[in-house]
Amino acid sequence: MGELNMQEMPLPALFEHAKKIHDLASESSVDQGIVKKGCEILRVCEEMIGKLGLFSLNETKDDISTANLKYILVPYYLAELTEKIAEDDRIEVLKASQAKLKEFISFCETMELVPEDEIETSTQGGSSSSVDRRAKKIARFKRQRAAESKLLELKERRERRGRSTKAAALTSPVETGEDDMFDDDGEEEREAWLTTISLALCKAFDLLEMLKREEEILSAVREKQLQDGEKEFSQLILDERTQKAESWHWDAATRARYTKPAAPITCATFAQDVIEGRAKVSQAHDHKHQPLLFGPASLVGMNPTTERQRIAAQVFQPHYSLPTMSIEEAGLTEMNMMNEWQERNVKLMEEATSSWYNDGPKTRPNEDDEEDDNDDAAQEKARAWDDWKDDNPRGAGNKKLTPCG
């Protein structure tokens, strides 16, 4: 299966083929060519998953559809197959495998699939004692055994349901209960994939610890060899490193398509076609909404010149207004409007924060004169009121009304 065929195959078929290679490599030793082919298929799967945008960091495991849950295992499968590659530089292989395992664990943690005790252990780092590490391994082993038992139970239940369905189909046609059976199958499939991911997490933590320990041992051995052969570490090794660097730069163009982020697919219809195998990822697609046309074939597409032709062209038109753009185009338009609004707000905020202390209080012309006039008038009014109170003491006008006045 060449690279062109892999690009033409749909994502489910690629994943199933890679899963078969992974299962075969896990059960027994396989040829290195098959292992590398599996790694290549899994990289293509990662590229297609990124282009299709199947996962988002704002989602959790409950938001992911059952059909897409299995694609969470792609980095884990790639890490296990990468670890089985036999190369001279074993440390680089270990680092690549550890990077994929960390990517898988980090994504599962974002999707709320990692147990709480594992998260606490990862946050503490290597400061845990031997007792804590032993308790963690025991708990992880129990979770692994529970997941394996659950998968075996689901497999047996599915086989029993299949045998009963075949027997019922042979005796009498099945007319009732089909919807319930399909719902049970969907729930069991989701439960099976979640259990498989939980089992893969247990194995990923153990494999990550093992690879770290192996890398430490190999690094210590290499450092010891360098110390012993320090005198022989001369121009020959430096020339070899220079040659590797030059070859890396020469091959950068061929590796560019793996390092550059893939262009996202903004059309939901085209993404569904790619998932189901009706379209290719490499196929250029520019989604443009074409409004539906109604009316006689002779009038569709022509420019009516008379009132009679215009009325005839509108005979079979719907009673509602037709859309002028697709959902994707409307979303992009709203996104552009929001970006412009944010840029305008940022600009206004910068102007406000940069000039508020430079602008003094704005005063109207002759405002000082008006304030002085108001102060003088208030002062004269207060003086007049004081003079009146001196001339008219309190209760002076009521003396004749008193009995003894």
Side-chain angles (χ1 to χ4, degrees):
M1 181 173 54
E3 182 179 355
L4 181 61
N5 295 331
M6 282 195 295
Q7 294 294 338
E8 292 178 353
M9 290 179 63
L11 181 58
L14 284 174
F15 180 80
E16 290 298 330
H17 191 76
K19 186 176 182 300
K20 291 179 181 178
I21 295 178
H22 172 266
D23 295 341
L24 183 62
S26 301
E27 294 175 357
S28 60
S29 60
V30 295
D31 185 60
Q32 287 292 312
I34 298 178
V35 174
K36 293 181 180 179
K37 179 61 68 175
C39 293
E40 185 179 357
I41 295 173
L42 289 170
R43 292 192 187 96
V44 175
C45 289
E46 280 190 330
E47 182 180 357
M48 294 180 69
I49 291 171
K51 285 186 176 182
L52 295 173
L54 298 182
F55 304 118
S56 173
L57 297 179
N58 299 324
E59 297 177 343
T60 59
K61 60 182 179 181
D62 298 329
D63 301 325
I64 302 176
S65 62
T66 304
N68 295 336
L69 275 176
K70 56 187 176 182
Y71 301 125
I72 299 178
L73 296 167
V74 170
Y76 170 71
Y77 289 162
L78 183 56
E80 282 205 333
L81 288 181
T82 303
E83 187 269 335
K84 297 181 183 300
I85 294 178
E87 289 187 358
D88 297 335
D89 194 355
R90 176 65 179 170
I91 296 181
E92 294 299 326
V93 175
L94 296 177
K95 289 182 178 180
S97 181
Q98 290 181 56
K100 286 301 175 182
L101 286 175
K102 292 178 181 178
E103 178 184 348
F104 170 67
I105 295 173
S106 175
F107 184 76
C108 290
E109 184 177 351
T110 304
M111 294 294 110
E112 300 179 358
L113 291 168
V114 182
E116 292 294 335
D117 54 349
E118 294 288 357
I119 297 177
E120 293 176 358
T121 305
S122 61
T123 54
Q124 292 176 0
S127 60
S128 59
S129 61
S130 58
V131 179
D132 296 335
R133 289 195 297 269
R134 182 175 180 274
K136 179 187 63 176
K137 288 186 177 181
I138 292 174
R140 189 183 300 161
F141 178 74
K142 289 181 179 179
R143 286 197 303 270
Q144 183 175 348
R145 292 293 298 271
E148 292 175 351
S149 301
K150 188 67 175 179
L151 287 176
L152 184 60
E153 179 185 353
L154 291 173
K155 183 179 179 181
E156 293 177 353
R157 191 188 307 170
R158 186 177 302 174
E159 291 177 354
R160 288 197 301 269
R161 181 181 291 109
R163 289 194 297 267
S164 62
T165 304
K166 290 181 180 178
L170 293 175
T171 56
S172 62
V174 179
E175 296 180 358
T176 60
E178 293 183 354
D179 296 336
D180 296 338
M181 182 184 66
F182 293 147
D183 294 340
D184 293 341
D185 291 343
E187 293 177 0
E188 285 188 1
E189 182 182 2
R190 186 175 186 85
E191 187 178 3
W193 282 119
L194 289 175
T195 308
T196 304
I197 294 172
S198 177
L199 179 61
L201 277 171
C202 297
K203 295 181 179 180
F205 281 113
D206 291 336
L207 181 60
L208 185 60
E209 292 179 0
M210 185 187 68
L211 294 181
K212 286 182 180 179
R213 196 176 300 110
E214 184 179 357
E215 183 183 0
E216 292 175 358
I217 295 173
L218 292 179
S219 300
V221 171
R222 175 177 292 184
E223 185 178 357
K224 181 66 175 176
Q225 291 177 353
L226 291 178
Q227 290 177 357
D228 295 340
E230 186 176 0
K231 297 180 180 180
E232 300 178 359
F233 189 75
S234 58
Q235 191 66 30
L236 181 62
I237 300 179
L238 294 177
D239 293 341
E240 183 181 357
R241 289 184 176 181
T242 304
Q243 185 178 2
K244 286 184 179 180
E246 291 178 355
S247 63
W248 187 90
H249 286 290
W250 281 109
D251 297 338
T254 59
R255 295 195 306 269
R257 62 188 184 92
Y258 295 105
T259 56
K260 291 182 179 179
I265 298 177
T266 58
C267 176
T269 306
F270 180 63
Q272 189 66 26
D273 292 341
V274 172
I275 292 176
E276 297 178 359
R278 294 191 296 269
K280 306 174 186 177
V281 179
S282 59
Q283 181 179 352
H285 179 76
D286 188 11
H287 182 73
K288 296 296 183 181
H289 177 76
Q290 300 294 337
L292 298 176
L293 298 177
F294 298 87
S298 60
L299 297 176
V300 173
M302 68 174 293
N303 188 16
T305 56
T306 63
E307 185 70 15
R308 180 184 180 87
Q309 293 179 352
R310 186 181 65 81
I311 295 174
Q314 294 179 352
V315 169
F316 297 102
Q317 292 292 328
H319 63 281
Y320 52 86
S321 300
L322 294 175
T324 58
M325 64 175 63
S326 64
I327 298 177
E328 290 79 11
E329 292 174 342
L332 293 176
T333 303
E334 291 183 1
M335 188 181 297
N336 294 331
M337 292 172 60
M338 182 58 65
N339 292 333
E340 293 177 359
W341 180 77
Q342 290 180 351
E343 292 176 358
R344 183 167 64 252
N345 286 347
V346 170
K347 185 177 180 181
L348 293 175
M349 186 61 67
E350 291 178 354
E351 293 178 355
T353 54
S354 61
S355 62
W356 69 271
Y357 56 87
N358 294 328
D359 299 338
K362 297 182 179 179
T363 58
R364 295 177 298 174
N366 301 326
E367 186 176 356
D368 297 337
D369 297 338
E370 292 179 0
E371 291 180 357
D372 295 340
D373 295 341
N374 293 334
D375 293 342
D376 294 340
Q379 189 175 7
E380 292 178 359
K381 184 177 180 180
R383 288 177 179 176
W385 176 247
D386 291 339
D387 294 341
W388 187 88
K389 287 195 295 182
D390 294 340
D391 297 338
N392 301 279
R394 182 178 179 84
N398 297 329
K399 288 183 178 181
K400 295 182 179 180
L401 297 178
T402 60
C404 299

